[in-house]
Amino acid sequence: MKMPSMVPVSSIRRAASAIFSFFMVVGAIVLLHHELHDYHFHEIETSLLNLPLWRIFAAIGLTVFNYLLLTMYDLTAVRTIGRPMAYTRVAMTSFCGFVASYNFGPLLGGASVRYRLYSAWGLSGLEIVQVVFLLSATFWLGLLTLSGVTFISAGDALPLSGVLSLAPRVLGFVLLALVAGYILMTRLHRGRFYWRDEEIQLPSTRLSLLQTALGVFDLCIAAGVLYLLIAPGLRMSYFSFLTAYLCAIFAIVFTQAPGGAGVLELVVLKFAAVSSLQTAVAGLLAYRVIFYLAPLLAAAAMLAWNETRSWKEPLTRVMKTAGRWSGAAAPALLSFSTFVAGVILLFSSTSPAMLDRLRLLRRVVPLPLVEASHFLSSLTGVGLLLLSQGLRRRLDSAYWLTVGLLYAGVIFSLLKGFDYEEAIILSLVLASLIACRGRFYRKGAFIHQRLTPGWIAAVLMAVVSAIGLGLFAYKHVDYSNDLWWRFTLRGDAPRFMRASVGMGVVLLVYAVRRMLEPADPPPGEPTAADLVAVRAIVASSPRTPANLALLGDKRFLFNKKHDAFIMYAVQGRSWVSMGDPVGAPEEFAELVWRFFEQSDRYGGGPVFYEVDHENAPLYVELGLTLLKIGEEARIYLPDFSMEGSARKGLRQTVSRMTRAGVEFEIAAKEDVTRLAPRLRTISDEWLVAKNAHEKGFSLGFFDESYLSQFPCAVLKQDGEVIAFANIWMSADRQEFSIDLMRHANCAPPSAMEYLFIELILRAREEGYQWFNLGMAPLSGIEARPLSPLWNKAMDLIFRHGDAFYGFQGLRAFKNKFAPVWRSKYVAAPGGMALPRVLSELVALIGRRRP
């Protein structure tokens, strides 16, 4: 099996995007520093403290109203795709999604949170893509419409001259034309639009107009929040300010800067008519806290409250609902919250402390302890940034280290300057983490986690921004070597210098440690020791499909104890696991995550084929979509009987085969080699008659070394073998099944049905609990008016695809034995990647065998 390229194009693209965003943010910080060259930090601090309380409370009220309005984005989207759900679910998803999106960008934050939450509510991957598409459409319709109107009517408010002064009006007409084109498209395409062979469900024209109104209203309120806080430093009306605000939104979208860090501030200050720069900057800082930070902390508080309430019994229906969404959202939101907590500590360490608090603190805390707390606070902040990625991946080690650093951060915040505000914020994040302890179960060192380009860029942005803040705050201090060793109560600049060096050293040590760490060897063919371990684990498995591991066409990912594994193969960019993990159930979660990380390391994506619903939460946590692909038929043997009118057909089959002189035998695995030539002849005849070739991966193919590992059931007529099937038997007599089954052309009709009957009776006699008849593809997939598109398509193929495969005939045959049907799923990346994944899965199973 050929491994994918070590540096795939998708990885290069992600790295390039992260580098671009990093330099955009750094550039914005440099320009902001130049813009504020004539101002001092204490002037901005004074303006912030003098901000009228009524403006702060009014801004908070508008922010709450804005987030309530944003829930209408999601509510409209889910109803448009025909999947209405309770408003509480939509509101939870919308709030968490927009909070993550505003703070960390639509892709890094909002899309991933929405994917996990909507997956938990039962939406398919394609439906979630449709929801995200409609959300984007609502935002862009509002942005383009409002920008078009304001650029045409208030374009003069922008600081442009000459020919450029006409640009806003021209652009405004272009933007309005784009909106009109979209509205017209919804009318002409009657709610359907195809992109890359995927159907995207568009809203009706009426709903499109509603989307436009929602988008416009949302942007007006968000701009109103900022205008309330920044107005004392402006000499322009709200409507004129809208032009500058909308330009900032366009700049944020273009740069993809997380939270628009630096970009929002720079564009607003450059394009708005500012009368008092320090007052305007103070308003922007207040806006960051009210509109960005406070909602993120509120989401973390909701998680903590929910998790704490969920400990109490009995659970109410509401809390059961909340528990379901919090399980999907907790790691992502707590990862974001931890990152923000680290940023707060860094910014606090690089900015001046309040002198009156320091004087009060000096009475009870010695100066050396203040200095040490300040320095350690900066190191703690960097540590929280580095650990945030581990929380996102649910690492147990990252959880305990984060809890310890947050405890330390609370203490350092109080000792270095009695900064009780940040101590409260850190305590809130800490309480949320403690309440969500059960969500972080993965064993392993966080130092070994894979670093994504986006996360690396975010950490560097945070550190560079903190140092930039310190350079601005102490630009009036003349540099000298003595500053490094100056320890005084008012020695903020020396403390900043030492903290900056500490931050740099921590990052450098971490980077060197990662570079010196030996690279994981690429997955190779299984060794002899691996195969011995595989056979031992398969022998102890209660499920017979585990025997597919012995087929010889798969690789294996073991846990550390070597008592569980994932069997997989690589096809294109898809790393396909055959079924759920095999072995110790308590190791499944860690194996699934390791498989996800390994596939991602090589530029691929995980796919889990034919998995059971019991393990569905493991795959949803990875952001995968669960799609039903059929049902597995299992006979409960203690209740099976050949008596009664329902079994009349089976009894007749036995009678016919007996009269035809057909005999049933089970050959021991030691005898299979002797029978192999005849079995090969039968297999070749069967393939020619079916005009087929050997397949594999999810089903056996004829290979003497594979068949010789199992007993073999045979039918004989006149002393010659006419049909065969290899037998799978699980541990503790839990399950009995067959894999490769074929018959000669001379075999009488119903021979294979007779083979099944004899095997079922033999398994019952030997005390087995279940007989596994295998899966009936595409069966049991219901297509109702509100069912996902996948269900409707698969039901259509099941009902009308018998010309290509006997879907209905296979289910009818298995129904003769009155089995218990068990749903089987494929867990795969959803959305636009799904067609590629399915085609690669078909190619893997249908790959020609020698």
Side-chain angles (χ1 to χ4, degrees):
M1 288 175 284
K2 184 179 179 181
M3 293 303 299
S5 170
M6 294 296 289
V7 187
V9 175
S10 58
S11 297
I12 296 175
R13 189 183 301 117
R14 289 196 297 266
S17 176
I19 292 171
F20 175 76
S21 295
F22 172 73
F23 281 108
M24 287 295 100
V25 171
V26 171
I29 292 172
V30 171
L31 292 175
L32 268 176
H33 192 276
H34 180 268
E35 191 75 16
L36 299 173
H37 182 266
D38 296 328
Y39 296 87
H40 292 292
F41 181 86
H42 69 86
E43 295 175 318
I44 297 174
E45 183 181 31
T46 301
S47 298
L48 184 61
L49 295 175
N50 290 334
L51 199 63
L53 283 178
W54 74 266
R55 289 186 178 274
I56 294 175
F57 285 115
I60 293 173
L62 274 183
T63 298
V64 172
F65 182 70
N66 184 246
Y67 275 96
L68 288 174
L69 178 68
L70 288 172
T71 63
M72 300 303 296
Y73 273 51
D74 289 75
L75 191 64
T76 302
V78 296
R79 291 187 176 180
T80 298
I81 66 171
R83 295 298 302 275
M85 60 179 65
Y87 176 75
T88 53
R89 294 183 175 184
V90 177
M92 290 174 182
T93 305
S94 176
F95 178 66
C96 294
F98 277 112
V99 163
S101 179
Y102 284 161
N103 283 278
F104 298 94
L107 295 179
L108 180 64
S112 62
V113 169
R114 271 194 175 83
Y115 201 94
R116 283 163 171 77
L117 290 175
Y118 277 130
S119 295
W121 299 134
L123 267 64
S124 70
L126 183 57
E127 288 173 326
I128 297 172
V129 170
Q130 291 175 335
V131 168
V132 173
F133 174 84
L134 292 169
L135 295 177
S136 300
T138 302
F139 168 77
W140 279 105
L141 283 171
L143 180 60
L144 298 181
T145 302
L146 187 59
S147 299
V149 172
T150 54
F151 287 174
I152 292 172
S153 58
D156 294 338
L158 296 176
L160 301 174
S161 59
V163 178
L164 289 178
S165 62
L166 300 175
R169 288 186 174 84
V170 174
L171 180 60
F173 284 112
V174 171
L175 296 180
L176 290 179
L178 290 174
V179 174
Y182 174 84
I183 300 297
L184 182 62
M185 184 173 65
T186 62
R187 181 71 175 176
L188 296 178
H189 287 275
R190 299 181 181 275
R192 300 280 191 229
F193 176 67
Y194 291 87
W195 184 68
R196 292 185 181 179
D197 297 327
E198 289 291 335
E199 182 185 73
I200 299 297
Q201 191 166 357
L202 295 176
S204 64
T205 304
R206 179 180 178 183
L207 278 174
S208 296
L209 294 174
L210 175 61
Q211 283 182 292
T212 305
L214 280 174
V216 169
F217 200 18
D218 161 42
L219 289 167
C220 287
I221 295 175
V225 175
L226 179 55
Y227 185 76
L228 269 172
L229 299 169
I230 203 175
L234 301 180
R235 54 175 185 274
M236 62 192 316
S237 66
Y238 165 75
F239 192 68
S240 297
F241 171 75
L242 266 178
T243 58
Y245 179 80
L246 295 172
C247 287
I249 297 298
F250 276 113
I252 292 172
V253 172
F254 173 73
T255 60
Q256 291 296 304
V263 177
L264 171 69
E265 290 80 2
L266 177 65
V267 175
V268 169
L269 294 178
K270 291 294 291 184
F271 283 7
V274 177
S275 59
S276 173
L277 193 60
Q278 63 269 35
T279 303
V281 172
L284 284 164
L285 292 175
Y287 178 71
R288 281 285 177 191
V289 173
I290 293 172
F291 200 80
Y292 288 81
L293 178 59
L296 179 62
L297 296 176
M302 287 172 59
L303 287 174
W305 175 79
N306 169 69
E307 293 292 331
T308 303
R309 286 288 301 275
S310 66
W311 295 340
K312 299 179 180 179
E313 296 290 347
L315 291 174
T316 64
R317 183 177 180 181
V318 173
M319 293 316 303
K320 287 181 180 179
T321 299
R324 188 177 180 185
W325 75 263
S326 68
L333 287 178
L334 288 173
S335 171
F336 297 151
S337 300
T338 299
F339 191 93
V340 170
V343 171
I344 291 173
L345 284 176
L346 293 186
F347 279 31
S348 176
S349 299
T350 57
S351 58
M354 293 186 177
L355 187 58
D356 55 340
R357 294 188 185 181
L358 278 177
R359 288 171 177 165
L360 178 63
L361 192 66
R362 183 67 177 84
R363 298 176 183 176
V364 292
V365 180
L367 182 60
L369 185 55
V370 173
E371 295 285 358
S373 299
H374 187 279
F375 182 74
L376 293 175
S377 175
S378 65
L379 304 188
T380 302
V382 176
L384 292 175
L385 299 184
L386 298 177
L387 288 167
S388 61
Q389 179 83 339
L391 291 180
R392 190 178 180 88
R393 295 183 181 272
R394 299 175 181 257
L395 288 174
D396 178 80
S397 59
Y399 170 84
W400 287 114
L401 286 171
T402 302
V403 168
L405 287 185
L406 286 172
Y407 267 120
V410 171
I411 297 172
F412 295 150
S413 297
L414 296 174
L415 292 179
K416 71 182 177 65
F418 198 58
D419 297 323
Y420 60 85
E421 300 92 345
E422 67 188 63
I424 291 173
I425 294 174
L426 296 178
S427 298
L428 180 58
V429 177
L430 176 61
S432 302
L433 266 178
I434 293 173
C436 298
R437 170 67 188 99
R439 309 300 181 186
F440 304 92
Y441 50 79
R442 294 188 58 210
K443 302 298 180 182
F446 89 97
I447 194 71
H448 301 309
Q449 65 179 322
R450 181 179 179 271
L451 308 181
T452 62
W455 179 78
I456 294 173
V459 170
L460 293 178
M461 287 178 201
V463 173
V464 170
S465 300
I467 294 175
L469 174 62
L471 292 174
F472 168 72
Y474 307 113
K475 61 185 176 182
H476 60 285
V477 178
D478 294 328
Y479 173 79
S480 68
N481 291 329
D482 294 339
L483 285 176
W484 295 99
W485 314 109
R486 186 177 300 171
F487 299 94
T488 64
L489 190 64
R490 304 188 63 175
D492 291 320
R495 282 193 282 267
F496 155 67
M497 294 168 61
R498 292 188 289 268
S500 299
V501 171
M503 290 186 282
V505 168
V506 171
L507 289 179
L508 182 61
V509 170
Y510 183 80
V512 171
R513 172 68 177 80
R514 289 303 303 261
M515 288 188 291
L516 294 179
E517 184 179 80
D520 293 333
E525 297 297 332
T527 64
D530 290 338
L531 295 178
V532 170
V534 165
R535 291 190 183 95
I537 297 170
V538 169
S540 63
S541 174
R543 296 300 310 277
T544 52
N547 288 283
L548 285 169
L550 307 179
L551 193 55
D553 62 348
K554 300 174 182 68
R555 289 180 174 158
F556 303 98
L557 176 67
F558 290 93
N559 66 329
K560 291 182 179 180
K561 297 179 182 178
H562 264 59
D563 59 359
F565 65 82
I566 284 177
M567 50 178 149
Y568 71 96
V570 179
Q571 180 71 33
R573 289 166 55 192
S574 295
W575 289 52
V576 186
S577 165
M578 181 58 232
D580 297 302
V582 180
E586 63 272 14
E587 299 291 336
F588 285 7
E590 177 62 19
L591 270 174
V592 166
W593 271 97
R594 283 184 56 206
F595 185 68
F596 166 71
E597 290 169 346
Q598 180 170 284
S599 64
D600 184 62
R601 185 179 300 118
Y602 291 98
V607 179
F608 294 85
Y609 182 63
E610 287 192 25
V611 297
D612 295 323
H613 70 275
E614 291 91 343
N615 295 312
L618 299 178
Y619 309 121
V620 171
E621 287 175 0
L622 299 182
L624 300 180
T625 299
L626 283 174
L627 299 172
K628 188 173 180 179
I629 55 175
E631 291 184 326
E632 181 183 71
R634 302 173 77 213
I635 303 170
Y636 185 60
L637 293 175
D639 292 345
F640 181 80
S641 171
M642 292 288 287
E643 305 299 326
S645 59
R647 299 289 186 266
K648 181 179 180 181
L650 299 183
R651 295 194 300 272
Q652 290 175 345
T653 296
V654 174
S655 297
R656 285 196 303 270
M657 293 300 103
T658 302
R659 290 194 300 269
V662 176
E663 299 176 346
F664 169 80
E665 293 181 7
I666 293 182
K669 60 183 178 181
E670 294 80 11
D671 296 328
V672 172
T673 301
R674 177 178 55 83
L675 295 173
R678 176 55 184 166
L679 303 184
R680 167 70 75 177
T681 301
I682 293 174
S683 178
D684 292 343
E685 281 185 15
W686 186 87
L687 289 172
V688 172
K690 299 293 184 181
N691 191 26
H693 66 271
E694 294 282 17
K695 297 179 174 60
F697 187 69
S698 63
L699 64 166
F701 52 85
F702 193 93
D703 179 78
E704 185 176 333
S705 62
Y706 168 65
L707 293 178
S708 63
Q709 300 179 71
F710 310 99
C712 187
V714 298
L715 295 182
K716 291 183 177 180
Q717 191 174 38
D718 299 328
E720 186 174 49
V721 177
I722 59 172
F724 73 91
N726 66 309
I727 299 174
W728 286 346
M729 294 174 287
S730 73
D732 301 325
R733 300 186 182 274
Q734 285 295 309
E735 193 171 68
F736 194 103
S737 184
I738 62 174
D739 178 30
L740 187 69
M741 52 181 180
R742 289 176 183 176
H743 61 82
N745 293 336
C746 62
S750 303
M752 300 312 291
E753 182 175 319
Y754 176 60
L755 183 67
F756 268 105
I757 294 170
E758 291 292 344
L759 282 171
I760 291 169
L761 294 175
R762 177 66 64 88
R764 186 187 64 177
E765 290 173 5
E766 294 185 5
Y768 282 85
Q769 293 294 304
W770 295 92
F771 189 97
N772 193 330
L773 293 170
M775 189 175 73
L778 306 188
S779 69
I781 302 178
E782 297 183 358
R784 299 183 180 182
L786 297 181
S787 295
L789 179 62
W790 169 268
N791 288 39
K792 296 175 182 177
M794 295 304 102
D795 178 70
L796 183 67
I797 296 174
F798 178 79
R799 288 186 288 108
H800 302 288
D802 279 350
F804 307 99
Y805 186 93
F807 296 107
Q808 296 188 66
L810 181 59
R811 183 176 179 99
F813 171 78
K814 295 181 178 182
N815 263 333
K816 293 181 181 181
F817 303 95
V820 176
W821 291 97
R822 179 188 181 96
S823 297
K824 303 295 275 187
Y825 300 87
V826 59
M832 299 304 175
L834 188 58
R836 172 187 58 78
V837 170
L838 294 179
S839 66
E840 290 173 346
L841 184 57
V842 171
L844 174 62
I845 297 172
R847 184 189 297 168
R848 286 186 177 271
R849 314 290 163 174

